[in-house]
Amino acid sequence: MKKYACLKSIASYIPTRCVKNSEFEKSLDTSDEWIRKRTGIQTRYFASKEQNTSDLGVEAAKVALERSGFQASDIDLVIVATLSPDYLNMPSTACLISAKLGIRNKPAFDISTACSGFIYLLSLAKAFIESDAYKNILIIGAEKVSSVLDFTDRGTCVLFGDGAGAAVITSTTDKNNSILDVHISADGSYHDFLFTPRATRQSEFMQENCISQYLQMKGNETFKLGVKTLISDVEEILQRNNISSTQVDFFIPHQANLRIISAVGEQLNFTSEQVVITVQKYGNTSAASIPMAMNDIYESGKLKNGDLILLDAFGGGVTWGSALLHFGG
Ligand code: ACO
């Protein structure tokens, strides 16, 4: 019988330190009013000094496992998407999370696709399950973006937050409970729109010719390209699956900027009940933003088994992607 991939559970972890826009007013030429008006962001959460990305990811993963009904020993593969790994190149954050969960002798690796991370994770999990390579896959989007932020750059540091989201993807024969379609893409010619010269433990590795070790972004250019790409990407996946926007229960776009979400939502005729918005609370948590938003509607009791969800993301690389799935939890 044909195997399909089912998103069985969703969970998130939010660090405890809530940072209001007004905190940035103390050290930067910015204001709560500017940040709210231009981005929709009101608060974000930052991890403590002691917490690394893997610590955030493991907390989300524990809850996702519990909600899936599986034990850590049932997991065949762990994949993590992050732009803020604990270590620069190795070991991967996925290996660290596997170890913390007690998962041994199972493959684990990271992917680097910035804010599109969760869509890329779904694409990989779907392919591995449909080809019968693995049965139960733990996917995690985890970010300590604060570790790569330049807190003197008002153009970037007010936009991002830390957090993690995790899901267990499992094999099913029920197509009506499965991930129907995932589309991923990239265009490296825009690589300089968003980049981090060095990763988390950057100061140890900084090169003399490295201008800054922190995340840098051409905000306005990214904004315009993001809106255009997200709209055409959603139109394409809906068309390919012969689905109209009215049939979608929840549209969960990447949470970077309320103006981007509104522009995309309006252009595609989604109602405010369909569009999930969490950017005001969490800021942009990169690869964690979509699973964190999905977990919000799950925990509020709105998301039900079988609901049709549309996901869409755009991020550094540049990368983008969309996914259409029935919630299987
Ligand atoms: N407070 C006050 N003023 C500010 C701030 C701030 N925090 N940040 C920028 N400004 C100023 C600029 O310096 C500029 O001033 P100037 O006109 O004197 O030069 C002015 O505001 C306008 O700047 P813009 O960059 O044109 O502002 P814009 O309306 O484009 O908003 C923003 C900036 C919020 C960054 C927006 O462009 C954006 O959201 N971009 C997209 C982000 C995104 O989608 N990223 C993709 C995913 S992220 C990932 O993959 C990791």
Side-chain angles (χ1 to χ4, degrees), residues 29-30 34 38-39 83 114-115 154-155 158-160 194 217 219-220 222-223 254 256-257 259-260 284 314-316:
D29 181 14
T30 189
W34 190 96
R38 305 307 294 162
T39 72
L83 63 73
C115 300
R154 66 178 181 173
V158 302
L159 305 174
F160 294 91
L194 258 162
M217 177 169 72
N220 204 264
T222 308
F223 186 100
H254 170 51
N257 185 316
R259 289 189 293 137
I260 298 180
N284 180 350
F314 179 84

Side-chain angles (χ1 to χ4, degrees), residues 241-258:
N241 290 275
N242 212 10
I243 284 172
S244 83
S245 57
T246 54
Q247 292 169 270
V248 171
D249 293 297
F250 295 105
F251 173 47
I252 312 180
H254 170 51
Q255 308 286 315
N257 185 316
L258 186 59

Side-chain angles (χ1 to χ4, degrees), residues 126-192:
K126 182 176 186 289
F128 278 131
I129 285 174
E130 289 180 357
S131 64
D132 224 1
Y134 302 109
K135 225 172 139 201
N136 302 317
I137 302 177
L138 176 61
I139 58 171
I140 303 159
E143 301 284 10
K144 186 177 178 180
V145 191
S146 61
S147 67
V148 293
L149 289 179
D150 176 356
F151 283 97
T152 64
D153 176 15
R154 66 178 181 173
T156 53
C157 73
V158 302
L159 305 174
F160 294 91
D162 302 336
V168 173
I169 314 293
T170 187
S171 180
T172 181
T173 51
D174 181 6
K175 194 180 177 192
N176 294 324
N177 231 356
S178 74
I179 300 170
L180 302 176
D181 195 10
V182 186
H183 170 252
I184 51 172
S185 197
D187 186 346
S189 63
Y190 297 109
H191 64 273
D192 61 342

Side-chain angles (χ1 to χ4, degrees), residues 81-83 111-118 143 194 286-288 314-317 319:
T82 186
L83 63 73
I111 60 165
S112 169
T113 53
C115 300
S116 311
F118 196 71
E143 301 284 10
L194 258 162
S286 187
F314 179 84
T319 56

